[in-house]
Amino acid sequence: TYTFDNQLTYTYPKGDHNLTVSAMQSSYKYTAEAYEIAVQNLPYASHWYNLGTAGTITGVKSSYSQNTLESYMGRINYSYKDKYLITLTGRSDGASQLAEGHKWAFFPSGAVAWRLSEEDFVKEAKIFSDLKLRVSYGQVGNSNVAPYSTQATILNTPYNFDQSAAYGFAPATLGNKDLKWERSQELNLGLNMGFLDNRI
């Protein structure tokens, strides 16, 4: 497993204006391989170094699984006199375990805030030590499904063939060719208030 993250931030303050731009990139990869052989009646204590000498091989199996996630993100923060604040964010994510044509999705978000406590008419009232009105909206995604869920799988099944035991294959799961990002969204409205030098 590895995760590789990079972030670049640029800040540009000028007078009453303050601008911060951030760019981010992330790569994630997970790979798992497993091999197993089970035996009985080893003639001597060779452990797993000479399994071919065992009297009986009771099982052999192996497995492989891999999934990757690639992400690109950008954010802009802007404020004017620390009174009017805007944040815009966008991220694009690609997940290998989703269906072809549905692996990538874009998730936007944004927020605006008005720090009323910096306005003269609020300062003159001498009631609030902090007063901020804010609203935000954003979308997030979820790709937390098992790898290869888009593919049909089979299982080994025993059956009777001419009065003898035999093995064949049968469907285990059906593949989902429409598997895509689960998307959720949220809207927040808030009012922050502070009194008595923010003691309350």
Side-chain angles (χ1 to χ4, degrees):
T1 300
Y2 73 74
T3 303
F4 185 63
D5 294 329
N6 297 283
Q7 179 174 336
L8 180 66
T9 300
Y10 176 74
T11 301
Y12 181 71
K14 187 174 182 180
D16 294 330
H17 305 274
N18 197 318
L19 177 66
T20 302
V21 179
S22 299
M24 290 156 278
Q25 179 272 335
S26 178
S27 297
Y28 167 83
K29 185 176 183 178
Y30 170 84
T31 304
E33 295 183 53
Y35 310 92
E36 180 180 320
I37 181 170
V39 301
Q40 292 178 342
N41 303 320
L42 282 170
Y44 59 97
S46 60
H47 304 296
W48 55 84
Y49 298 111
N50 197 1
L51 297 178
T53 62
T56 305
I57 297 177
T58 59
V60 176
K61 64 181 180 179
S62 62
S63 64
Y64 176 86
S65 179
Q66 183 184 96
N67 66 286
T68 59
L69 178 67
E70 187 79 12
S71 302
Y72 300 94
M73 297 150 278
R75 172 177 292 170
I76 298 173
N77 283 322
Y78 171 76
S79 68
Y80 176 69
K81 291 185 176 181
D82 201 32
K83 288 194 293 187
Y84 313 108
L85 305 102
I86 299 175
T87 300
L88 299 174
T89 304
R91 63 178 294 152
S92 183
D93 297 284
S96 64
Q97 65 267 36
L98 302 179
E100 290 294 333
H102 300 291
K103 295 183 183 295
W104 285 90
F106 179 75
F107 305 100
S109 66
V112 294
W114 180 16
R115 197 181 300 277
L116 290 154
S117 55
E118 295 298 315
E119 298 287 357
D120 290 337
F121 66 89
V122 176
K123 290 180 178 179
E124 292 171 1
K126 297 181 180 179
I127 299 174
F128 301 97
S129 50
D130 183 36
L131 182 63
K132 183 169 75 169
L133 178 65
R134 52 189 171 81
V135 58
S136 65
Y137 169 81
Q139 295 183 357
V140 295
N142 178 22
S143 63
N144 190 21
V145 295
Y148 316 113
S149 297
T150 60
Q151 301 177 12
T153 60
I154 57 176
L155 54 82
N156 195 318
T157 179
Y159 68 98
N160 186 328
F161 181 75
D162 195 24
Q163 303 302 313
S164 298
Y167 289 90
F169 295 95
T173 60
L174 298 177
N176 184 352
K177 298 299 183 182
D178 296 318
L179 194 60
K180 59 185 178 182
W181 283 88
E182 179 186 50
R183 188 184 295 266
S184 59
Q185 53 191 352
E186 185 172 303
L187 175 66
N188 284 312
L189 301 173
L191 180 63
N192 296 3
M193 291 182 290
F195 305 92
L196 303 176
D197 290 329
N198 287 328
R199 291 187 179 90
I200 300 176

